[in-house]
Amino acid sequence: MTPFEGLLFFYIMGLMLLPGVILGLLGRPLKIYGLIFTAVMLTIVFYENGQLLLLCGFYVWQIVLCLGFSRVKNKTKTIFRAAVVLSLLPLLAVKLSAVFPELRLLQLLGISYMTFRAVQVLIDIYDGRTEKPRLLELSYFLLFFPSAAAGPIDRYRRFLGDINRTPGKEEYCELLRRGFWRLMTGAFSGIAVSGIIWAYWLEPLPGGGFMAGLSYMYGYTLYLYFNFAGYSSMAIGTAYILGVRLPENFNKPFLSADMKDFWARWHISLSTWLRDYVYTRFVMGSLKAKRFKNKRTASYIGYIITFAAMGAWHGLSPNYLIYGAYHALLMCVNEALDLHYKSMRKFKQGAVSRVLMAVVTFHFVSFGLLIFSGRLV
C-alpha cells in the first residue's frame, strides 16, 4: 500500500482520522491521538510493503543518535560531524542500491525525508536551538505520517509549536475545512491530472527522436509538477486535520523570473533546508575562516556543494548527479549575472520582461527535469 494512492488507503485513513476530527471539534488536544494515528498508519503501510522491520531499525538508530548526542556535555565539532555521518549512513546505504543491487533489500519508503529531519535535529542541538528533545515529541516529528513518504520537510521547533498547542473550536473548524479542501484538490492534481498526462501524453510517445524527446520534456515537467504538488497538498491537508500546519512545498514555480526565484518556489521545504543547513553554513564558515581571497568564491562553491547534495539526496544514479551539477551551474551563472550586470536585475523587474524571463526559466527547468527523468542518460 502506497500513501495517498488507492481507495483502500483513503478509506482506512478516513476512518483513522475520524477520532482526531471529533477531538478537534471538541477542543481537545490532538498530540496523543496524532501519535497513535501515525503509529497505526505507518504499521499498515510499511507492513504491507514488507518494510516494517527496516523502519523500526531506522527509527531506533536515529532516536539513539539524537537523544545520545543531546546528552553529550562537550559537543565538539568532531563529535557533531560523527553524529551527522552516522545519521546519514542508512540513507547512503539505500542510495548505494542504485550501484550495488544487493543492497536493494535495504530500500525504505520515505528514508530521504526522515533522515533530513533527523539530521536537522542534530544540527539544532549542536547550534543550541534545541537542548534535550523528548522521546515522544521527537518520535512524532521524525515519523509524522502525512509527510513520512514524500514531505514536506518540517522544522522541529515549528512542529513542536503546533503539536503542543490546542486550537480552539473555531480555529480547528477552519483547519478542518482547509485540510479537506487540500486533500481533495491534491488528489485531483496528484492522481487524476498527473495520471492523464502520463497515460495520454508520456506513455504513447516513442522512445527516440528529437520531437518525441521535446514533447516528453514538456509533458514530464507538467506530470512531475502536478504529481508532486498534489501529493504535497494531500500531506498538508492531512496534517491540518491533525492540527499541524506543514509548510508549503510549491508556490507557482513556473512564474519564476530566474533560477534563484525558481528554487524559492519549487520543493520549497527541501531547497530551504539545503539553503539553511548546507549552503549558509558552508558560506558563513568559509568567510569566517577566510578560506578564499574572493568572497564570491565561497558562494559559488557553496552552490556546487548544495546542489551536489540535492542530486545525491534523490539518488546516486548518473541522471540525479548530473541534474544536481546542472542546477549548480545555473545558480552560479544566475548569481554572476546579477552581481556583474545591474541591467539584468532591472530587466527582470519589468512586466513584459518578467514574462519573457519566466518562459526562459521554464525551459531551463524543463531541460533539467528531462535529465532528472533519466531519458537523456
Side-chain angles (χ1 to χ4, degrees):
M1 184 183 295
T2 302
F4 303 109
E5 283 188 12
L7 291 176
L8 179 60
F9 170 83
F10 285 104
Y11 174 74
I12 294 173
M13 188 177 77
L15 289 178
M16 286 299 304
L17 283 172
L18 274 177
V21 171
I22 294 170
L23 288 171
L25 292 174
L26 292 174
R28 302 292 178 82
L30 290 166
K31 179 167 73 173
I32 298 302
Y33 186 74
L35 269 166
I36 295 170
F37 170 84
T38 286
V40 173
M41 292 302 298
L42 287 175
T43 300
I44 292 171
V45 169
F46 282 83
Y47 179 79
E48 286 282 330
N49 292 320
Q51 296 183 326
L52 187 57
L53 186 60
L54 283 175
L55 176 65
C56 292
F58 172 83
Y59 162 76
V60 171
W61 179 261
Q62 300 295 355
I63 287 292
V64 169
L65 279 174
C66 290
L67 294 182
F69 182 67
S70 70
R71 284 157 175 76
V72 174
K73 291 184 178 180
N74 184 21
K75 297 179 179 65
T76 64
K77 189 172 290 187
T78 301
I79 294 174
F80 164 65
R81 288 174 176 171
V84 170
V85 169
L86 289 172
S87 182
L88 290 169
L89 278 181
L91 177 61
L92 177 62
V94 171
K95 299 305 178 183
L96 283 173
S97 65
V99 182
F100 302 103
E102 56 269 20
L103 293 176
R104 286 177 185 170
L105 291 174
L106 298 176
Q107 289 185 352
L108 182 65
L109 180 69
I111 189 172
S112 298
Y113 295 93
M114 292 186 286
T115 298
F116 267 27
R117 287 198 286 270
V119 170
Q120 178 205 139
V121 172
L122 290 171
I123 295 174
D124 285 352
I125 292 170
Y126 180 71
D127 289 345
R129 288 190 292 268
T130 298
E131 293 185 1
K132 291 184 178 180
R134 297 177 180 178
L135 175 61
L136 289 181
E137 291 177 341
L138 180 59
S139 300
Y140 195 18
F141 174 69
L142 292 181
L143 301 175
F144 186 55
F145 178 75
S147 60
I153 305 172
D154 206 352
R155 302 299 175 94
Y156 185 56
R157 289 194 300 166
R158 198 219 63 77
F159 183 82
L160 290 188
D162 278 356
I163 66 172
N164 288 321
R165 177 180 173 274
T166 302
K169 294 180 183 179
E170 290 187 7
E171 184 182 354
Y172 183 75
C173 284
E174 177 61 17
L175 279 174
L176 181 61
R177 184 194 66 79
R178 291 173 61 191
F180 184 75
W181 177 251
R182 294 300 295 268
L183 268 170
M184 294 300 100
T185 55
F188 178 73
S189 171
I191 299 173
V193 177
S194 67
I196 290 170
I197 293 173
W198 183 267
Y200 295 100
W201 185 341
L202 298 177
E203 203 167 38
L205 286 173
F210 174 78
M211 293 307 297
L214 188 65
S215 180
Y216 189 90
M217 181 181 80
Y218 292 126
Y220 186 77
T221 298
L222 296 176
Y223 163 78
L224 193 62
Y225 168 70
F226 283 111
N227 184 265
F228 195 8
Y231 279 85
S232 292
S233 183
M234 286 187 280
I236 290 169
T238 307
Y240 281 169
I241 296 172
L242 294 169
V244 176
R245 297 167 177 82
L246 281 179
E248 294 294 333
N249 227 8
F250 293 89
N251 180 23
K252 302 172 183 175
F254 299 140
L255 298 181
S256 305
D258 57 25
M259 294 309 302
K260 190 174 288 187
D261 188 24
F262 171 76
W263 281 108
R265 296 168 176 265
W266 175 278
H267 207 340
I268 300 169
S269 65
L270 174 63
S271 60
T272 54
W273 195 100
L274 290 169
R275 179 198 67 196
D276 294 345
Y277 293 104
V278 179
Y279 175 81
T280 301
R281 294 180 75 86
F282 173 80
V283 172
M284 296 305 294
S286 296
L287 293 177
K288 186 177 180 180
K290 297 180 180 180
R291 293 179 185 137
F292 310 104
K293 291 182 179 180
N294 189 332
K295 294 181 179 179
R296 304 312 307 177
T297 302
S299 181
Y300 296 139
I301 295 178
Y303 281 131
I304 294 170
I305 294 172
T306 300
F307 283 94
M310 185 269 291
W313 180 82
H314 284 99
L316 297 180
S317 300
N319 54 309
Y320 297 131
L321 300 180
I322 295 171
Y323 175 75
Y326 171 78
H327 275 283
L329 174 62
L330 290 180
M331 290 294 285
C332 289
V333 171
N334 195 140
E335 179 149 323
L337 290 174
D338 283 346
L339 182 66
H340 297 293
Y341 298 95
K342 293 182 180 179
S343 57
M344 177 61 74
R345 295 200 299 270
K346 292 180 179 178
F347 180 76
K348 295 175 187 177
Q349 296 172 2
V352 176
S353 56
R354 188 173 178 87
V355 173
L356 177 61
M357 288 301 299
V359 172
V360 172
T361 302
F362 173 79
H363 281 82
F364 278 124
V365 168
S366 297
F367 184 73
L369 290 176
L370 182 63
I371 296 172
F372 182 88
S373 73
R375 189 177 174 98
L376 288 181
V377 181

